[in-house]
Amino acid sequence: MACITPDGQLTTTASNLLKFLAEPKTLEEIKTPFPRPTYILRSMLRELVQAGFILEEGDTFSLTDKGKGKIG
Amino acid sequence: MEEIKQPSSTIPRLGMPAPQFEAVTTHGTLRLSDFKGTWLILFSHPADFTPVCTTEFIGFSQIHPDLQKMNCELMGLSIDSVYSHIAWVRNIQEKLGVKITFPVIADLNKEVASLYGMVMPGESKTETSRCVFVIDDKQILRAMIYYPLTTGRNMDEILRLIQALQTTDANGVATPANWRPGDKVIIPPPMTQEMAEERVKTPNVECTDWYLCKKELK
């Protein structure tokens, strides 16, 4: 699910996901509070990584400084 | 003599890794690899806002929950824009009361259609035929079905196909013609004479002859 609008705004789900990643999480840990098909979560996480809001290290996703700034 | 032009796309092979792609869909940009760990039915339709395709989309939507119970997802494709797809799925919901819950690829440049041999130039050079590709959880292409533009697909058969493939994987058996869950399954033929002799003596196995043996799954 595309989670960043063409004018750079985060969807509600993306915003909630960034807040949830204040502490680094794995995909498995993300699945519980975000009950969506895995392919959707992978796509969303990739989009947020490409936008520089989160960092993927191994199997863990964490918020970048840019991501922290985005959610204020 | 008229020159025979070969189509530029190829048809993928069963048992081989499914061709990887990244595509714009109604659910954002998706990669085939996003579906790893899940079975996937990748299917094409000729065009949005056409009658047979609309009935098929309703049919696919109706079997989607059953497929999801089998760890299987759906993804459609046609050579239309994502805006056309969005308008069409919204129209289906408005006019027919059916919500389309699976993503649909907008394959305007025919990239995925070419990878999977979905365009049949003898039928149409601008539309994809009614193709179904079953990709398993390890991203291996397990089955293909090709239907012409005029003929809507049978959703029961697509469900049955997934049930049969997963039964094969889980039990190391084959399934006979018209098999349905609960029916007897076929034990793969013996590879040696010794195996053949033992096979016909095995209890709880119904053998017509050494090469045709069935059993019930417990």
Side-chain angles (χ1 to χ4, degrees):
Chain A
M1 189 72 68
C3 57
I4 304 172
T5 65
D7 62 354
Q9 300 301 307
L10 295 176
T11 62
T12 303
T13 304
S15 182
N16 290 338
L17 183 53
L18 286 191
K19 288 171 188 163
F20 183 66
L21 292 176
E23 294 293 324
K25 299 281 190 312
T26 65
L27 177 60
E28 289 305 313
E29 291 169 325
I30 293 168
K31 280 181 185 175
T32 306
F34 294 90
R36 287 165 179 71
T38 303
Y39 71 88
I40 292 289
L41 291 177
R42 285 181 178 141
S43 171
M44 287 178 63
L45 289 165
R46 182 171 59 250
E47 194 176 350
L48 293 170
V49 167
Q50 287 170 347
F53 295 139
I54 62 175
L55 190 66
E56 182 180 8
E57 288 177 302
D59 61 353
T60 303
F61 296 90
S62 57
L63 211 52
T64 63
D65 288 341
K66 186 178 175 183
K68 288 173 189 166
K70 190 71 177 175
I71 57 173
Chain B
M1 182 186 280
E2 188 181 345
E3 184 187 354
I4 299 173
K5 290 181 181 169
Q6 295 296 323
S8 59
S9 63
T10 57
I11 290 178
R13 303 290 179 182
L14 294 184
M16 299 293 286
Q20 292 290 325
F21 59 82
E22 178 177 285
V24 173
T25 82
T26 50
H27 286 44
T29 299
L30 295 177
R31 294 176 181 174
L32 178 61
S33 57
D34 291 334
F35 291 86
K36 265 183 193 165
T38 308
W39 287 63
L40 173 67
I41 295 172
L42 172 65
F43 71 95
S44 58
H45 65 277
D48 297 346
F49 292 101
T50 54
V52 177
C53 301
T54 301
T55 64
E56 286 191 323
F57 258 51
I58 293 167
F60 278 118
S61 185
Q62 286 167 341
I63 65 168
H64 195 195
D66 290 331
L67 290 169
Q68 287 179 313
K69 287 177 194 162
M70 293 188 282
N71 188 33
C72 183
E73 283 294 342
L74 273 170
M75 183 157 61
L77 175 150
S78 73
I79 305 169
D80 289 293
S81 71
V82 76
Y83 307 111
S84 171
H85 286 335
I86 291 169
W88 186 39
V89 299
R90 286 174 64 88
N91 183 266
I92 291 172
Q93 183 163 10
E94 181 189 333
K95 302 290 183 188
L96 297 156
V98 177
K99 186 173 176 65
I100 304 302
T101 50
F102 50 82
V104 188
I105 295 174
D107 197 32
L108 278 173
N109 61 5
K110 300 185 192 174
E111 195 175 326
V112 181
S114 297
L115 269 177
Y116 282 79
M118 294 171 172
V119 177
M120 303 289 167
E123 278 208 304
S124 171
K125 292 182 175 68
T126 58
E127 298 166 302
T128 43
S129 291
R130 301 185 192 281
C131 310
V132 177
F133 299 90
V134 178
I135 298 166
D136 73 14
D137 53 350
K138 297 174 187 65
Q139 308 244 284
I140 300 296
L141 183 60
R142 298 293 297 276
M144 298 187 285
I145 304 173
Y146 285 78
Y147 269 43
L149 300 177
T150 53
T151 311
R153 284 159 284 200
N154 185 312
M155 300 301 146
D156 284 343
E157 171 57 9
I158 291 169
L159 266 182
R160 195 193 73 94
L161 176 59
I162 301 297
Q163 289 163 335
L165 288 168
Q166 292 188 351
T167 297
T168 291
D169 285 3
N171 300 284
V173 295
T175 50
N178 301 320
W179 176 87
R180 292 273 177 188
D183 290 353
K184 288 178 180 169
V185 296
I186 289 178
I187 306 170
M191 304 301 288
T192 65
Q193 194 170 341
E194 182 185 10
M195 286 183 203
E197 286 164 7
E198 287 175 1
R199 170 68 54 80
V200 293
K201 296 176 195 161
T202 309
N204 302 320
V205 171
E206 175 191 300
C207 285
T208 306
D209 205 336
W210 65 271
Y211 66 91
L212 178 54
C213 295
K214 294 181 183 177
K215 69 174 182 180
E216 284 184 6
L217 285 179
K218 291 177 184 172

Coordinates of all heavy atoms in Angstrom, one line a residue, chain A:
Chain A
M1 N 0.9 -1.2 0.0 CA 0.0 0.0 0.0 C 0.9 1.2 0.0 O 1.7 1.4 0.9 CB -0.9 0.0 1.3 CG -2.0 1.0 1.3 SD -3.3 0.7 0.2 CE -4.0 -0.8 0.9
A2 N 0.7 2.0 -1.0 CA 1.5 3.2 -1.0 C 1.2 4.0 0.3 O 0.1 4.2 0.6 CB 1.2 4.1 -2.2
C3 N 2.3 4.5 0.9 CA 2.0 5.1 2.2 C 2.5 6.5 2.3 O 2.5 7.1 3.4 CB 2.6 4.2 3.3 SG 4.4 3.9 3.2
I4 N 3.1 7.0 1.2 CA 3.4 8.4 1.1 C 2.7 9.1 0.0 O 2.8 8.6 -1.2 CB 5.0 8.6 1.0 CG1 5.7 7.9 2.1 CG2 5.3 10.1 0.9 CD1 7.2 7.8 2.0
T5 N 1.9 10.1 0.2 CA 1.2 10.7 -0.9 C 2.1 11.5 -1.8 O 3.2 11.8 -1.5 CB 0.1 11.7 -0.3 OG1 0.8 12.8 0.3 CG2 -0.8 11.0 0.7
P6 N 1.6 11.8 -3.0 CA 2.5 12.5 -4.0 C 3.0 13.8 -3.5 O 4.0 14.3 -3.9 CB 1.5 12.6 -5.2 CG 0.6 11.5 -5.1 CD 0.3 11.3 -3.6
D7 N 2.3 14.4 -2.6 CA 2.8 15.7 -2.0 C 3.6 15.5 -0.7 O 3.8 16.5 0.0 CB 1.6 16.7 -1.8 CG 0.6 16.2 -0.8 OD1 0.7 15.0 -0.4 OD2 -0.4 16.9 -0.5
G8 N 4.0 14.3 -0.5 CA 4.9 14.0 0.6 C 4.3 13.8 2.0 O 5.1 13.6 2.9
Q9 N 3.0 13.7 2.1 CA 2.4 13.5 3.3 C 2.3 12.0 3.6 O 2.2 11.2 2.7 CB 1.0 14.0 3.4 CG 0.9 15.5 3.1 CD 1.7 16.3 4.2 OE1 1.5 16.1 5.4 NE2 2.6 17.2 3.7
L10 N 2.4 11.6 4.9 CA 2.3 10.2 5.3 C 0.8 9.8 5.4 O 0.0 10.6 5.9 CB 2.9 9.9 6.6 CG 4.5 10.1 6.7 CD1 4.9 9.9 8.1 CD2 5.2 9.1 5.8
T11 N 0.4 8.6 5.0 CA -0.9 8.1 5.3 C -1.0 7.9 6.8 O 0.0 7.8 7.5 CB -1.2 6.8 4.6 OG1 -0.3 5.8 5.0 CG2 -1.1 7.0 3.1
T12 N -2.2 7.7 7.3 CA -2.4 7.5 8.8 C -1.6 6.2 9.2 O -0.9 6.2 10.2 CB -3.9 7.3 9.1 OG1 -4.5 8.5 8.6 CG2 -4.1 7.1 10.6
T13 N -1.7 5.2 8.3 CA -1.0 3.9 8.7 C 0.5 4.1 8.7 O 1.2 3.6 9.6 CB -1.4 2.8 7.6 OG1 -2.8 2.7 7.5 CG2 -0.7 1.5 8.0
A14 N 1.0 4.9 7.8 CA 2.5 5.1 7.7 C 2.9 5.9 8.9 O 4.0 5.6 9.5 CB 2.8 5.8 6.4
S15 N 2.1 6.9 9.3 CA 2.4 7.7 10.5 C 2.5 6.8 11.7 O 3.4 6.9 12.5 CB 1.4 8.8 10.6 OG 1.7 9.6 11.7
N16 N 1.4 6.0 11.9 CA 1.4 5.1 13.0 C 2.6 4.1 13.0 O 3.1 3.7 14.1 CB 0.1 4.3 13.0 CG -1.1 5.2 13.3 OD1 -0.9 6.3 13.9 ND2 -2.3 4.8 12.9
L17 N 2.9 3.6 11.8 CA 4.1 2.7 11.7 C 5.4 3.4 12.1 O 6.2 2.8 12.9 CB 4.1 2.2 10.3 CG 5.2 1.1 9.9 CD1 5.1 -0.1 10.9 CD2 5.1 0.7 8.5
L18 N 5.6 4.6 11.7 CA 6.8 5.3 12.1 C 6.8 5.5 13.7 O 7.9 5.3 14.3 CB 6.9 6.7 11.5 CG 7.2 6.8 10.0 CD1 7.5 8.2 9.6 CD2 8.4 5.9 9.6
K19 N 5.7 5.8 14.2 CA 5.6 5.9 15.7 C 6.0 4.6 16.4 O 6.7 4.6 17.4 CB 4.2 6.4 16.2 CG 4.0 7.9 15.8 CD 2.5 8.3 16.0 CE 2.3 9.7 15.5 NZ 0.8 9.9 15.3
F20 N 5.5 3.5 15.8 CA 5.7 2.2 16.4 C 7.2 1.8 16.3 O 7.7 1.1 17.1 CB 4.8 1.2 15.6 CG 4.9 -0.2 16.2 CD1 4.5 -0.6 17.4 CD2 5.5 -1.3 15.4 CE1 4.6 -1.8 17.9 CE2 5.6 -2.6 15.9 CZ 5.1 -2.9 17.2
L21 N 7.9 2.4 15.3 CA 9.3 2.0 15.1 C 10.2 2.9 15.9 O 11.4 3.0 15.7 CB 9.6 2.1 13.6 CG 9.0 1.0 12.8 CD1 9.3 1.2 11.3 CD2 9.4 -0.4 13.2
A22 N 9.6 3.7 16.9 CA 10.5 4.4 17.8 C 11.5 3.5 18.4 O 12.6 3.9 18.7 CB 9.6 5.2 18.8
E23 N 11.1 2.3 18.7 CA 12.0 1.2 19.1 C 12.1 0.3 17.9 O 11.1 -0.1 17.3 CB 11.4 0.5 20.3 CG 11.3 1.3 21.6 CD 12.6 1.7 22.1 OE1 13.6 0.9 22.0 OE2 12.7 2.8 22.7
P24 N 13.4 -0.1 17.6 CA 13.6 -1.0 16.4 C 12.7 -2.3 16.5 O 12.6 -2.9 17.6 CB 15.1 -1.4 16.5 CG 15.7 -0.2 17.2 CD 14.6 0.2 18.2
K25 N 12.2 -2.7 15.4 CA 11.3 -3.9 15.3 C 11.6 -4.7 14.1 O 12.0 -4.2 13.1 CB 9.8 -3.4 15.3 CG 9.3 -2.6 16.4 CD 9.0 -3.4 17.6 CE 8.3 -2.7 18.7 NZ 8.9 -1.4 19.1
T26 N 11.3 -6.0 14.2 CA 11.4 -6.9 13.1 C 10.0 -6.9 12.4 O 9.0 -6.5 12.9 CB 11.7 -8.3 13.5 OG1 10.6 -8.8 14.3 CG2 13.0 -8.4 14.3
L27 N 10.0 -7.5 11.2 CA 8.7 -7.6 10.4 C 7.7 -8.4 11.2 O 6.5 -8.1 11.3 CB 9.0 -8.2 9.1 CG 7.7 -8.5 8.2 CD1 7.0 -7.2 7.9 CD2 8.1 -9.2 6.9
E28 N 8.2 -9.5 11.9 CA 7.3 -10.3 12.7 C 6.6 -9.5 13.8 O 5.5 -9.7 14.1 CB 8.0 -11.5 13.2 CG 8.4 -12.5 12.2 CD 7.2 -13.1 11.4 OE1 6.2 -13.4 12.0 OE2 7.3 -13.1 10.1
E29 N 7.4 -8.6 14.4 CA 6.9 -7.8 15.5 C 5.9 -6.7 15.0 O 5.0 -6.3 15.7 CB 8.0 -7.1 16.3 CG 8.9 -8.1 17.1 CD 10.2 -7.5 17.6 OE1 10.8 -6.7 16.9 OE2 10.6 -7.9 18.7
I30 N 6.1 -6.3 13.8 CA 5.2 -5.3 13.2 C 3.9 -5.9 12.8 O 2.9 -5.2 12.9 CB 5.9 -4.7 11.9 CG1 7.2 -3.9 12.4 CG2 5.0 -3.8 11.1 CD1 8.1 -3.5 11.2
K31 N 3.9 -7.2 12.5 CA 2.6 -7.8 12.0 C 1.5 -7.7 13.0 O 0.3 -7.6 12.6 CB 2.9 -9.3 11.6 CG 3.6 -9.5 10.3 CD 3.8 -11.0 10.1 CE 4.6 -11.2 8.8 NZ 4.8 -12.7 8.6
T32 N 1.8 -7.9 14.3 CA 0.7 -8.0 15.3 C -0.1 -6.7 15.3 O -1.3 -6.7 15.2 CB 1.3 -8.3 16.6 OG1 2.0 -9.6 16.5 CG2 0.2 -8.6 17.7
P33 N 0.6 -5.5 15.5 CA -0.3 -4.3 15.6 C -0.7 -3.8 14.3 O -1.6 -2.9 14.2 CB 0.7 -3.3 16.3 CG 2.0 -3.8 16.0 CD 2.0 -5.2 15.8
F34 N -0.2 -4.3 13.2 CA -0.5 -3.9 11.8 C -1.0 -5.1 11.0 O -0.3 -5.6 10.2 CB 0.6 -3.2 11.1 CG 1.0 -1.9 11.8 CD1 2.0 -1.8 12.8 CD2 0.4 -0.7 11.4 CE1 2.3 -0.7 13.4 CE2 0.7 0.5 12.0 CZ 1.7 0.5 13.1
P35 N -2.2 -5.6 11.3 CA -2.7 -6.8 10.7 C -3.1 -6.6 9.2 O -4.2 -6.4 8.9 CB -3.9 -7.2 11.6 CG -4.4 -5.9 12.1 CD -3.2 -5.0 12.2
R36 N -2.1 -6.7 8.4 CA -2.3 -6.6 7.0 C -1.5 -7.7 6.3 O -0.6 -8.3 6.9 CB -1.7 -5.3 6.4 CG -2.6 -4.1 6.8 CD -1.8 -2.8 6.6 NE -2.7 -1.7 6.9 CZ -3.0 -1.3 8.2 NH1 -2.6 -2.0 9.2 NH2 -3.8 -0.3 8.4
P37 N -1.8 -8.1 5.1 CA -1.0 -9.1 4.4 C 0.5 -8.7 4.4 O 0.8 -7.5 4.3 CB -1.5 -9.1 3.0 CG -2.9 -8.5 3.1 CD -2.9 -7.6 4.2
T38 N 1.3 -9.7 4.5 CA 2.8 -9.5 4.6 C 3.3 -8.7 3.4 O 4.2 -7.8 3.6 CB 3.5 -10.8 4.8 OG1 3.0 -11.5 5.9 CG2 5.0 -10.6 5.0
Y39 N 2.8 -9.0 2.2 CA 3.3 -8.3 1.1 C 3.0 -6.8 1.1 O 3.8 -6.0 0.6 CB 2.7 -8.9 -0.2 CG 1.3 -8.6 -0.5 CD1 0.8 -7.5 -1.2 CD2 0.3 -9.5 -0.1 CE1 -0.5 -7.3 -1.5 CE2 -1.1 -9.3 -0.4 CZ -1.4 -8.2 -1.1 OH -2.8 -8.0 -1.3
I40 N 1.9 -6.4 1.8 CA 1.6 -5.0 1.9 C 2.6 -4.3 2.9 O 3.2 -3.2 2.6 CB 0.2 -4.8 2.5 CG1 -0.8 -5.2 1.4 CG2 -0.1 -3.4 2.9 CD1 -0.9 -4.3 0.2
L41 N 2.9 -5.0 4.0 CA 3.8 -4.5 5.0 C 5.2 -4.3 4.4 O 5.9 -3.3 4.6 CB 3.9 -5.4 6.2 CG 2.6 -5.4 7.1 CD1 2.8 -6.3 8.3 CD2 2.4 -4.0 7.7
R42 N 5.7 -5.4 3.6 CA 7.0 -5.3 3.0 C 7.1 -4.1 2.0 O 8.1 -3.4 2.0 CB 7.3 -6.6 2.2 CG 7.6 -7.7 3.1 CD 7.9 -9.0 2.3 NE 8.3 -10.1 3.1 CZ 7.9 -11.4 2.9 NH1 7.2 -11.7 1.8 NH2 8.4 -12.3 3.7
S43 N 6.0 -3.9 1.3 CA 6.0 -2.8 0.3 C 6.0 -1.4 1.1 O 6.7 -0.5 0.7 CB 4.7 -2.8 -0.5 OG 4.5 -1.7 -1.3
M44 N 5.2 -1.3 2.1 CA 5.2 -0.1 2.9 C 6.6 0.2 3.5 O 7.1 1.3 3.5 CB 4.2 -0.2 4.0 CG 2.8 -0.1 3.6 SD 1.6 -0.3 5.0 CE 2.0 1.2 5.9
L45 N 7.2 -0.8 4.1 CA 8.5 -0.6 4.7 C 9.5 -0.2 3.7 O 10.4 0.6 3.9 CB 8.9 -1.9 5.4 CG 8.1 -2.3 6.7 CD1 8.3 -3.7 7.1 CD2 8.5 -1.3 7.9
R46 N 9.5 -0.8 2.5 CA 10.4 -0.5 1.5 C 10.3 1.0 1.1 O 11.3 1.7 0.9 CB 10.2 -1.4 0.2 CG 11.2 -1.1 -0.9 CD 11.2 -2.1 -2.0 NE 9.9 -2.2 -2.6 CZ 9.1 -3.3 -2.5 NH1 9.4 -4.3 -1.8 NH2 7.9 -3.3 -3.1
E47 N 9.0 1.4 1.0 CA 8.8 2.8 0.6 C 9.3 3.8 1.6 O 9.9 4.8 1.3 CB 7.3 3.0 0.4 CG 6.9 4.3 -0.3 CD 5.4 4.4 -0.6 OE1 4.7 3.4 -0.4 OE2 4.9 5.5 -0.9
L48 N 9.1 3.4 2.9 CA 9.6 4.3 4.0 C 11.2 4.3 4.1 O 11.8 5.3 4.4 CB 9.0 3.8 5.3 CG 7.5 4.1 5.4 CD1 6.9 3.4 6.7 CD2 7.2 5.6 5.5
V49 N 11.8 3.1 3.7 CA 13.2 3.1 3.7 C 13.7 3.9 2.5 O 14.7 4.8 2.7 CB 13.7 1.6 3.5 CG1 15.2 1.6 3.1 CG2 13.5 0.8 4.7
Q50 N 13.1 3.8 1.4 CA 13.5 4.6 0.2 C 13.4 6.1 0.4 O 14.1 6.9 -0.1 CB 12.7 4.2 -1.0 CG 13.2 2.8 -1.6 CD 12.2 2.3 -2.6 OE1 11.1 2.8 -2.9 NE2 12.7 1.2 -3.3
A51 N 12.4 6.5 1.3 CA 12.1 7.9 1.6 C 13.1 8.4 2.7 O 13.1 9.6 3.0 CB 10.7 8.1 2.0
G52 N 13.8 7.4 3.3 CA 14.8 7.8 4.3 C 14.2 8.0 5.7 O 14.9 8.5 6.6
F53 N 13.0 7.5 5.9 CA 12.3 7.7 7.2 C 12.7 6.5 8.1 O 12.7 6.7 9.4 CB 10.8 7.7 7.1 CG 10.3 8.9 6.3 CD1 9.3 8.8 5.4 CD2 10.9 10.2 6.5 CE1 8.8 10.0 4.7 CE2 10.5 11.3 5.9 CZ 9.4 11.2 4.9
I54 N 13.0 5.4 7.6 CA 13.4 4.3 8.4 C 14.7 3.6 7.8 O 15.0 3.8 6.6 CB 12.3 3.2 8.6 CG1 11.9 2.6 7.3 CG2 11.1 3.8 9.4 CD1 10.9 1.5 7.5
L55 N 15.4 2.8 8.7 CA 16.6 2.1 8.2 C 16.4 0.6 8.4 O 15.8 0.2 9.4 CB 17.7 2.6 9.1 CG 19.1 2.2 8.8 CD1 19.6 2.9 7.5 CD2 20.1 2.7 9.9
E56 N 16.8 -0.1 7.4 CA 16.7 -1.6 7.5 C 18.1 -2.1 7.8 O 19.0 -1.9 7.0 CB 16.1 -2.2 6.2 CG 16.0 -3.7 6.3 CD 15.4 -4.2 5.0 OE1 15.2 -3.5 4.0 OE2 15.1 -5.4 5.0
E57 N 18.3 -2.8 8.9 CA 19.6 -3.4 9.2 C 19.3 -4.8 9.6 O 18.7 -5.1 10.6 CB 20.3 -2.7 10.4 CG 20.8 -1.3 10.0 CD 21.4 -0.6 11.2 OE1 20.7 -0.3 12.1 OE2 22.6 -0.2 11.1
G58 N 19.8 -5.8 8.7 CA 19.4 -7.2 8.9 C 17.9 -7.3 8.8 O 17.4 -6.9 7.8
D59 N 17.3 -7.9 9.8 CA 15.9 -8.1 9.8 C 15.1 -7.0 10.7 O 14.0 -7.2 11.0 CB 15.5 -9.5 10.2 CG 15.9 -9.8 11.6 OD1 16.6 -9.0 12.2 OD2 15.5 -10.9 12.0
T60 N 15.9 -6.0 11.0 CA 15.3 -5.0 11.9 C 15.1 -3.6 11.2 O 15.9 -3.2 10.4 CB 16.2 -4.8 13.2 OG1 16.4 -6.1 13.8 CG2 15.6 -3.8 14.2
F61 N 14.0 -3.0 11.6 CA 13.6 -1.7 11.0 C 13.6 -0.7 12.2 O 13.1 -0.9 13.2 CB 12.3 -1.7 10.4 CG 12.2 -2.6 9.2 CD1 11.8 -3.9 9.3 CD2 12.5 -2.1 7.9 CE1 11.7 -4.8 8.3 CE2 12.4 -3.0 6.8 CZ 12.1 -4.3 7.0
S62 N 14.3 0.5 12.0 CA 14.4 1.5 13.0 C 14.2 2.9 12.4 O 14.4 3.1 11.2 CB 15.7 1.4 13.8 OG 16.8 1.6 12.9
L63 N 13.8 3.8 13.2 CA 13.5 5.2 12.8 C 14.8 5.9 12.5 O 15.7 5.8 13.3 CB 12.7 5.9 13.9 CG 11.7 6.9 13.5 CD1 10.7 6.5 12.5 CD2 10.9 7.3 14.8
T64 N 14.9 6.7 11.5 CA 16.1 7.6 11.2 C 15.7 8.9 11.8 O 14.6 9.2 12.2 CB 16.3 7.7 9.7 OG1 15.2 8.4 9.2 CG2 16.5 6.4 9.0
D65 N 16.8 9.8 11.8 CA 16.5 11.2 12.3 C 15.4 11.9 11.4 O 14.6 12.6 12.0 CB 17.8 12.0 12.3 CG 18.8 11.5 13.4 OD1 18.3 10.9 14.3 OD2 20.0 11.8 13.2
K66 N 15.5 11.6 10.1 CA 14.5 12.2 9.2 C 13.1 11.7 9.6 O 12.1 12.4 9.6 CB 14.8 11.8 7.8 CG 13.9 12.5 6.7 CD 14.4 12.1 5.3 CE 13.4 12.6 4.3 NZ 13.8 12.2 2.9
G67 N 13.0 10.4 9.9 CA 11.8 9.8 10.3 C 11.2 10.4 11.6 O 10.1 10.7 11.8
K68 N 12.2 10.6 12.6 CA 11.8 11.2 13.9 C 11.2 12.6 13.6 O 10.2 13.0 14.2 CB 13.0 11.3 14.8 CG 13.4 9.9 15.4 CD 14.7 10.0 16.2 CE 15.2 8.6 16.5 NZ 16.6 8.6 17.0
G69 N 11.9 13.3 12.7 CA 11.4 14.7 12.4 C 10.1 14.7 11.7 O 9.3 15.6 12.0
K70 N 9.8 13.6 11.0 CA 8.5 13.6 10.2 C 7.3 13.4 11.2 O 6.3 14.0 10.9 CB 8.6 12.4 9.2 CG 7.4 12.4 8.3 CD 7.5 13.5 7.2 CE 6.4 13.4 6.2 NZ 6.4 14.6 5.3
I71 N 7.6 12.6 12.3 CA 6.4 12.4 13.2 C 6.4 13.4 14.3 O 5.5 13.4 15.2 CB 6.4 11.0 13.7 CG1 7.7 10.6 14.4 CG2 6.1 10.0 12.6 CD1 7.7 9.3 15.1
G72 N 7.5 14.2 14.3 CA 7.5 15.3 15.4 C 7.7 14.7 16.7 O 7.1 15.1 17.7

